[in-house]
Amino acid sequence: MAKSRYEYGTSPRKVEPQIPRRKQSQKKNLKIVEDLPRQEIKISKVQKKRQIKLTLIVIGIFILLLTISYRNSQINEKFNHVQRLKKELSSLQKENEQLKVSIENSLNLNTIEKQAKETLGMQKLTNKQTVYVSLPKKDYIESPSEEVVIKKERNWFEQLVDTIFNR
């Protein structure tokens, strides 16, 4: 009877792992190397160059990431500073608008008159306190009697050329 892959029942059959023949043959050819002290292990120049190159690459990547992180922190600080300045600007603009409204309210003639009476003790003028002053109708503006001459300063070369050709 041929075995089918479908199993009837609750427990499946156990599958044995198949080991490829290559791996078995490679295991036979392997030799066990004893651990040598560090001083006895010799590293070739190519391996040293690879290690140095790898180390420099890791250090370069670390420095690059550190630089990017530092730059991001600087950008974040500047952004926070700008946000603080924007908040301060908006609060100052709001305060400025409130001051404009209060100035407009205080420029009302009724408010000025009320403050003058209450705080300064002032009163309205009567006809007896009015004094009229007459001014003569003379024109106080004088016309210029002298002509203003503006002399342009010239450099030494222009002065020399003028003295030679104007003789």
Side-chain angles (χ1 to χ4, degrees):
M1 210 182 199
K3 282 190 175 181
S4 67
R5 291 192 169 199
Y6 188 76
E7 293 284 328
Y8 294 99
T10 57
S11 62
R13 67 184 171 110
K14 293 183 181 180
V15 179
E16 304 261 338
Q18 294 179 356
I19 300 173
R21 293 185 183 190
R22 278 191 208 159
K23 290 185 180 179
Q24 290 175 351
S25 63
Q26 286 178 355
K27 286 183 182 179
K28 292 178 183 175
N29 293 336
L30 293 179
K31 295 180 182 178
I32 299 175
V33 178
E34 295 179 14
D35 288 339
L36 297 175
R38 269 221 186 269
Q39 294 174 351
E40 294 178 16
I41 298 175
K42 293 186 178 180
I43 301 174
S44 69
K45 290 182 180 181
V46 175
Q47 287 178 337
K48 284 183 181 180
K49 286 182 181 179
R50 284 182 187 166
Q51 286 178 350
I52 291 173
K53 192 175 183 180
L54 183 63
T55 305
L56 290 176
I57 289 172
V58 169
I59 290 172
I61 290 172
F62 177 74
I63 290 174
L64 179 67
L65 291 175
L66 186 67
T67 304
I68 290 171
S69 174
Y70 177 73
R71 185 67 186 140
N72 283 342
S73 69
Q74 292 294 324
I75 290 171
N76 197 17
E77 285 179 17
K78 295 292 182 185
F79 180 75
N80 289 338
H81 182 67
V82 167
Q83 292 302 321
R84 270 185 274 138
L85 289 177
K86 282 183 179 179
K87 285 181 183 177
E88 184 179 340
L89 176 66
S90 66
S91 67
L92 289 174
Q93 286 175 340
K94 189 182 290 183
E95 182 181 345
N96 195 14
E97 290 298 321
Q98 289 174 348
L99 289 174
K100 282 182 182 179
V101 168
S102 68
I103 287 172
E104 288 176 8
N105 288 339
S106 66
L107 291 179
N108 187 357
L109 290 178
N110 294 330
T111 314
I112 293 172
E113 185 178 336
K114 183 179 177 184
Q115 286 181 351
K117 285 181 180 178
E118 292 176 0
T119 58
L120 301 174
M122 299 177 90
Q123 297 176 354
K124 282 192 172 185
L125 289 177
T126 61
N127 288 336
K128 293 179 183 178
Q129 294 173 329
T130 307
V131 177
Y132 295 100
V133 178
S134 62
L135 296 175
K137 294 186 177 184
K138 182 179 176 185
D139 192 11
Y140 291 104
I141 299 175
E142 294 181 16
S143 61
S145 59
E146 297 178 9
E147 188 176 318
V148 179
V149 177
I150 300 174
K151 196 172 190 180
K152 180 182 170 188
E153 290 192 32
R154 296 175 287 173
N155 61 18
W156 64 273
F157 183 72
E158 289 177 346
Q159 289 176 358
L160 179 66
V161 170
D162 283 347
T163 54
I164 291 173
F165 290 113
N166 289 336
R167 282 189 177 191

